[in-house]
Amino acid sequence: MKSAWHLGRIAGIDIKVHFTFVFILIWFGLSAYLTGGSIAVALTNVLLILALFLCVVLHEFGHALTARLFGIQTKDITLLPIGGVARLESMPEDPKEELLVAIAGPAVNMVIAGGLFTGLLLSGFFNQPLNLTSLLSSFWLQILIANVTLVLFNLIPAFPMDGGRVLRSFMALFMDHTKATRIAAHIGRGLAVLMGIAGFFINPWLILTAVFVWVGAGAEAQSVELKAGLKGLFVRDAMVSQFYQVEANQPLSEVLQLATATGQAHIPVVSNGNFLGIIRRNDLHRAIDRLGNRAPAYAAIGTEPEGLHPEMPLMDVLPKFANHRVLPVLEGRQLIGLVTPESLQQRMWLNQRLGGTKSRPTGESTDIA
Ligand SMILES: [Zn+2]
């Protein structure tokens, strides 16, 4: 997240805070001050928010460190105004392990709440005459209540919130992981709608959370489907193996003619059978403008992505499309195919029609605390 500040690094995990978090602090401090509170009350309010977010960070560490037990690293933990997000590099394949990772976050808040309750009990807090004002003004009691609320809120089975993850992993014990995700995402989206409506009456924060759940459920379901579609497939399966290519010293005018006549958007350039690079359509137009159409083909080659090995799993290819629209497949220095998002999509479609393969849970995990 680019709009987040780096706070520090604990146990090898970067901790970041979204810049909007500052507004929350100012807002809580100012509103307490303006509604007749003293500076001390305003500061207490700010301190309360900071303490709450510390509890959220600990919650996220619950997820992150449990995931580490199963060999999964966490990229970072980010504090957002609606909670925390731990970006695990994947989710455990075993539903039982996923269940433990999901439950570890709320468990941390249960421990904090239990500790605070014991502390308050021992200090005789509950023995004094209790009235609403003294209860509400107790700093530690407010943190205790907030932790209990965090636990209860997170147990709502709205995937991708913790409760939803618990539900998904529980269902995955009895059915295919993709199917379990699909069902959990539907339930999550249904609950998001209810949450959004309830937000209008109870608390506007709920609306924000509802949007987060709605978007998150959709994205996770999509990523699981995508990975299920690519499972068991290799670069060789999705590459275009029939294409036109040009020799390094052929003039750009001929490359343009070839591109126009064949409709092929990316033209590979070879020299004595060795792959040199690819001329993309935009690069071709630019090179002709700049160098004239008699310049040799190799002058129009753009920045080249590294070649793919034909036996590379397709799942590993996905991130490479972030920077390149076409990827060359090489056997030694010889070009044997091209992979594009379209060719990949085509192959996935075919795979689904020919009977899908079983999936396993992978992918990035975000989390609302
Ligand atoms: Zn959580």
Side-chain angles (χ1 to χ4, degrees), residues 59-60 63 84 101-102 104-106 109 154 160-162 367-369:
H59 171 115
E60 299 304 334
H63 292 307
V101 171
N109 299 110
N154 272 294
M161 281 168 57
D162 294 337
D367 167 60
I368 309 170

